[in-house]
Amino acid sequence: MANNKRGPEPGSQKAKHGGQAVREKYGPEFYSKIGKKGGETVREKRGPQFYAEIGKKGGESTKRQQGSEFYSKIGKKGGERGRVVPQNKE
């Protein structure tokens, strides 16, 4: 597939250098700001149903790839993380 866009080939050394230059010029706040703006735009255009649909698709894909036991395993890990283990006081 031909790249008809201007600029260096995505993933090339020149493209990476350009990305580093932007990061140095604008800083990390720039990426946070544009990410938030993009997320808000998607939310306004597509609504909450869009997120429900992509979440369901992602869950189904994970279930196909990992198996249903995967959810049991990660649920147990999450539960362990929240537990407070009492310490012996002597």
Side-chain angles (χ1 to χ4, degrees):
M1 186 164 110
N3 181 8
N4 295 328
K5 295 182 179 179
R6 297 181 339 172
E9 186 71 27
S12 69
Q13 242 352 85
K14 286 184 179 182
K16 289 178 186 177
H17 178 71
Q20 290 169 352
V22 171
R23 184 180 62 204
E24 289 172 10
K25 182 176 180 181
Y26 295 107
E29 299 83 22
F30 170 74
Y31 293 101
S32 178
K33 185 177 177 181
I34 64 172
K36 186 174 183 178
K37 185 175 181 181
E40 289 172 353
T41 301
V42 171
R43 184 182 66 210
E44 289 172 12
K45 285 185 178 180
R46 299 199 177 204
Q49 187 60 33
F50 169 73
Y51 293 102
E53 288 173 19
I54 64 172
K56 187 174 181 181
K57 286 180 183 179
E60 289 170 355
S61 177
T62 300
K63 187 176 178 181
R64 267 194 317 276
Q65 293 173 357
Q66 303 286 336
S68 56
E69 345 34 84
F70 172 74
Y71 291 102
S72 176
K73 200 156 89 174
I74 63 171
K76 287 179 184 174
K77 284 183 180 181
E80 290 171 2
R81 196 172 225 197
R83 289 187 196 139
V84 177
V85 180
Q87 296 179 345
N88 291 339
K89 294 183 181 179
E90 293 179 23

